[in-house]
Amino acid sequence: LALASATGDDEALRICNIAIANGAVSAAITGSGPAICVVCFVQDSKSIKEVLSRTNYEIIESKFSNDNLIELI
């Protein structure tokens, strides 16, 4: 959100806010744009995808890999 706000990208800010308001953990412009990354829990993905599909932008769905994750305590 900070980058979208700082660069005056109102459309990206709107999309990020929609995603977060509908359950996303985080949403932000990737690099200098134009892509937006939305991170959410699996159980929230369907509803977030439905809401974002109304923006008429392409949605690419992916998942995190657990192969090399470790827990830091």
Side-chain angles (χ1 to χ4, degrees):
L1 289 171
L3 183 59
S5 181
T7 59
D9 190 341
D10 294 333
E11 181 68 1
L13 189 57
R14 183 181 74 83
I15 292 169
C16 290
N17 281 329
I18 288 170
I20 290 171
N22 284 278
V25 174
S26 181
I29 295 176
T30 59
S32 60
I36 297 172
C37 177
V38 176
V39 177
C40 67
F41 291 105
V42 173
Q43 62 267 27
D44 297 323
S45 63
K46 184 177 177 182
S47 62
I48 293 170
K49 189 174 178 179
E50 281 179 21
V51 171
L52 292 180
S53 68
R54 297 180 199 148
T55 64
N56 293 321
Y57 290 108
E58 180 181 5
I59 297 172
I60 300 171
E61 190 172 351
S62 182
K63 295 180 181 178
F64 288 102
S65 170
N66 290 334
D67 294 344
N68 296 310
L69 294 181
I70 60 172
E71 183 178 352
L72 300 176
I73 299 176

